[in-house]
Amino acid sequence: MKSTEEIKEIISKLTLEEKASLCSGDTFWFTKAIPDKNVPKIFVSDGPVGLRKQENVEDNLGMNESIKAVCFPAGVGMAATFNKELYGFMGETLGEECRAENVAVILGPAVNIKRSPLCGRNFEYLSEDPFLASEMSTSYIKGVQSKHVGTSIKHFAVNNMETRRFSASSNLSERALREIYLAAFEGPVKNAAPWTVMCSYNKINGEFASQNKKILTDILRDEWGFKGNVVSDWGAVSDRAKALKAGLNLEMPTSYGENDKKLIEAVKKGELDEKVIDENCFSLLKLVYDAYDNIGNSDEFKFDRDLHHNIARDIAAETFVLLKNEGNVLPLSKDLSIAVVGPYAQNPRFQGGGSAHINCHKIESFLDACKENRIEKITYAQGFSPVSDVYDEKLCEEAVNIAKEADVTLIFAGLPDIFESEAYDRKHMQMPSCQLKVINEVCKVAKKSVIALHNGSPIEMPFVDEVDAILECYLGGQAVGGAQYDIIFGDKSPSGKLAETFPLKLEDNPSYLNFPGCRNDVNYAEDIFVGYRYYDKKKMNVLFPFGFGLSYSEFKYDNLKLSKEEINENEELTVTVDITNIGKREAKEAVELYVKNCESDIIRPIREFKGFDKVNLLPGETKTVTFKLNKRSFAYFDERIMDWAVPSGTYEIEIGKSSRDIVLSRKVNITSTPILPDSYDYDTIMQHLLEDKRIEECLGKYINFTKDDREKSDVEKESMNEEMEYSSFLFSPLRSGLYFSAGKIRYKDIDAFLEEANRIISDKKS
Ligand code: BGC
């Protein structure tokens, strides 16, 4: 650690060339050192669910070897735990591994919103909902950083597909940007202060994220108060000088001096003030010295990989989502005869491809765990290929034969590695047809069938009615098999819930028409209606809704209480609800809170997810869960004022078992300051004038225009109903008073009103 003065002193002794050189990496993973000027280097590493520390040949797509490490469950599963403490604990565990391996910054968490089920990196990302992504990643960052290791929340921002990821422009409204895409980053930046933020490859509304001043400086630093360093995604820099001015501190990896030269040229040409480079070096060296303190004392942090494997197993069990359990077929009794079908029972698919790919120190399959626990009445057939989509009749026959003989058949199926990875998107949402065929044949003969799924993103499930149970295991990390054992045989109850909607088919997804866009443009035409926000608004059937997940136990929710029934927009609202385990076994349950805006002329989703907590309950036990809601829980982003706003009115606080299963709700009335226009004029409509009580009063003073005073014909009188009359009044511009009042209202009345009304709103604003 060095003081501000010491760092400034060091910078004052560096040449322009040396300072420019610090603005980019030295190698693939190291920052630059200047040993004779006392500047050390630090090592950064992928992440985020295990260490991908490469010591020899380097790459950013996880192809060359990295050190042996522990692979924890992928982001998709971690979000499904709905357990902030658990994700924080995983962060702490990883932080310890980083310390032991002299890693200064781990490159994660990855929090981009799942706009389409097709995005190749969905397995790394957390959710379709920004609140869930934001809360979960806040815990992870706090966990890692509690070990004095930095994080790099990524990919900032609006990077929701892999197709043309280096060039595509994500084009979206300010409202969608703020409410959906930036919100996943905003919470963690404000509440967990990540040491670094990694900017994304793509453009946002036409400007590269790496040189986007609005995103990197105006919003990230000025609005959210970010004090750390922005690191480029690997190779994301286009114009280095522009990027530096926009707020990009560190270019990664090295550009072999080419972009450093560009900075020097820009200074020499007078296009870049050297002070900007000095300030940047100050910011970077603060990070380097701070982190460097830990390097070299890794002995203190020796960790036991086997112990971390067991932690990974415990965590994985909580990531699984039980989607169906007809006749309570799960959990299985250990005495049953069990047919196990599918290669993933033996060689599980437990992680995704690309930069998140870990070189695991060991892998535990379901069959390994069964063997270790002496489950004896087990037969196994591969059934289909784990890597390709070629149907093999012999393999299928073997599977059918063992299924016929067994009490229950477990099928381990899902997506092969090549189906989902960084660098490309999926083309469809289907599982390999060879797997579907085997599932179909096996289900015809099996007495009971259970399917365990290994996939990183939603799939279509044509077998949903054929199987008795579905356990979504996502990509559960290296200990996935042990965790499957724990859940399938009931040592633990499943408690995961979906952090994303499973649509019935790809075409139902709101981004369908605009994914992956056209040439270099992808228009986010669905706007704020991402995931359940869209399916709910359109009242569409889905395969499994956001927030859904079954348990082996049952829970009763009651006693929903609000601290107040009336609040103003700046007051906090405390919500409590009791949850009781009315089943026969200990189990965890995620309690979900949604906010519904009942009456508003603002276009809004039906409900939005605004609170969650996970509780562990013994049979018969009751716990009270408390939520604190604030202005942001009720707000939308208003582009007129470029700020968050809460429309006055009634809101419902809903407690749900999922977004489609609301079990309790209570109303609260919120009063807020209306958003007023800059001024009123002849064309302002009545509805907008009546939004403010004071303007309404003022209107009454000058203009008595409440209905149509014109002489009406009989036909007119007959066809005019109340709603028609009221609406035509409400939507009429002020100037229409001239003729609707049959000459009673004159310009002088309107002018007098406008003068006073405009004075009122300008007084209010100043
Ligand atoms: C990925 C990042 C990763 C980096 C380094 C990039 O291609 O987008 O997520 O951290 O490579 O491997």
Side-chain angles (χ1 to χ4, degrees), residues 28-29 46 52 59-61 107 121 124 154-155 165 198 201 233-234 355 422:
F28 221 80
W29 306 114
D46 280 315
R52 190 174 73 87
D59 74 287
N60 66 330
L61 287 176
L107 303 175
R121 294 186 88 168
E124 278 186 70
K154 65 190 185 182
H155 308 87
R165 65 174 171 159
M198 187 192 293
Y201 289 129
D233 198 346
W234 269 231
S355 59
E422 178 173 341

Side-chain angles (χ1 to χ4, degrees), residues 681-698:
D681 56 30
Y682 293 154
D683 300 324
T684 307
I685 63 168
M686 287 301 168
Q687 187 185 30
H688 294 159
L689 293 173
L690 300 180
E691 276 166 354
D692 186 276
K693 273 262 158 295
R694 293 171 58 182
I695 304 299
E696 190 180 345
E697 275 164 25
C698 172

Side-chain angles (χ1 to χ4, degrees), residues 7 11 14 18-20 22-23 276-286:
I7 299 177
I11 294 172
L14 300 178
E18 285 170 331
K19 287 186 286 191
L22 291 179
C23 300
V276 179
I277 299 197
D278 290 351
E279 281 163 16
N280 195 49
C281 288
F282 180 80
S283 178
L284 284 170
L285 291 188
K286 247 169 88 73

Side-chain angles (χ1 to χ4, degrees), residues 543-668:
L543 185 58
F544 296 109
F546 175 86
F548 176 76
L550 303 169
S551 164
Y552 292 159
S553 199
E554 272 183 80
F555 304 95
K556 187 167 109 242
Y557 290 72
D558 51 12
N559 254 333
L560 173 60
K561 287 188 192 140
L562 310 186
S563 55
K564 288 186 171 177
E565 279 168 12
E566 308 267 341
I567 55 169
N568 71 47
E569 62 186 313
N570 296 315
E571 271 178 277
E572 199 179 68
L573 183 72
T574 305
V575 179
T576 53
V577 64
D578 289 347
I579 168 161
T580 307
N581 182 346
I582 53 167
K584 292 198 175 59
R585 51 167 71 228
E586 178 176 358
K588 288 184 182 171
E589 168 80 341
V591 182
E592 304 167 35
L593 183 150
Y594 296 84
V595 171
K596 182 172 177 181
N597 185 195
C598 306
E599 39 180 60
S600 164
D601 63 349
I602 305 295
I603 298 167
R604 298 193 78 169
I606 301 290
R607 59 178 55 85
E608 293 184 272
F609 182 66
K610 295 294 174 184
F612 63 102
D613 200 4
K614 189 128 187 209
V615 283
N616 185 58
L617 295 165
L618 296 169
E621 192 181 7
T622 301
K623 280 186 183 156
T624 302
V625 176
T626 304
F627 301 98
K628 299 270 181 205
L629 302 181
N630 56 27
K631 175 172 178 182
R632 196 56 188 271
S633 316
F634 301 97
Y636 72 100
F637 192 82
D638 193 300
E639 293 180 1
R640 290 170 296 174
I641 52 167
M642 290 299 275
D643 202 353
W644 297 92
V646 178
S648 289
T650 305
Y651 291 74
E652 243 168 86
I653 309 301
E654 302 180 323
I655 300 294
K657 290 184 178 175
S658 80
S659 56
R660 289 276 172 106
D661 186 6
I662 304 300
V663 289
L664 296 170
S665 84
R666 270 190 183 279
K667 290 195 165 81
V668 59

